[in-house]
Amino acid sequence: MPSNLIYSMVQDDKGFLWIGTDNGVARFDGKYFKVFTTDDGLPDNEILEVRKEKNGTIWINTFKQGPLYFDEAVNRFVDPLLGLNVNKDFIKMVLHVRILEEGGIVFYSGDNELV
């Protein structure tokens, strides 16, 4: 474990436990931990939320750095806005996450502004 301070955790469809801490996110397979940090491309080590979308995608929300999703093909977390010409001012805010019943995920600010 990267830290004893746990903000959030979720179990994925394969049975892995994903744990968001103040020092990275850990994936536990029942025996071993795989830790993802800024050394692995995360923009921030403080992982406030780990959430599972209805389709099984694992998303993390870091402290004031914006959301990322886990891409199994590259075994890394990926910025969904990478390469897009989008104003990223919202990344400076702490975001909250809501999983939609019909599928999908929504990020919003503390003022309930949809991101």
Side-chain angles (χ1 to χ4, degrees), residues 49-84:
E49 288 185 280
V50 181
R51 301 295 296 266
K52 182 181 78 162
E53 193 177 344
K54 193 171 186 174
N55 70 3
T57 302
I58 297 295
W59 287 83
I60 61 170
N61 189 20
T62 65
F63 184 68
K64 293 188 177 183
Q65 294 293 324
L68 297 104
Y69 69 93
F70 186 71
D71 185 339
E72 287 187 54
V74 294
N75 199 39
R76 293 178 71 87
F77 282 91
V78 176
D79 179 350
L81 302 177
L82 189 65
L84 298 178

Side-chain angles (χ1 to χ4, degrees), residues 15-43:
F16 293 119
L17 185 62
W18 294 85
I19 306 163
T21 77
D22 65 335
N23 199 24
V25 62
R27 180 181 64 197
F28 183 60
D29 66 5
K31 191 171 183 179
Y32 300 104
F33 287 97
K34 164 64 177 149
V35 178
F36 299 89
T37 66
T38 54
D39 293 340
D40 302 297
L42 294 184

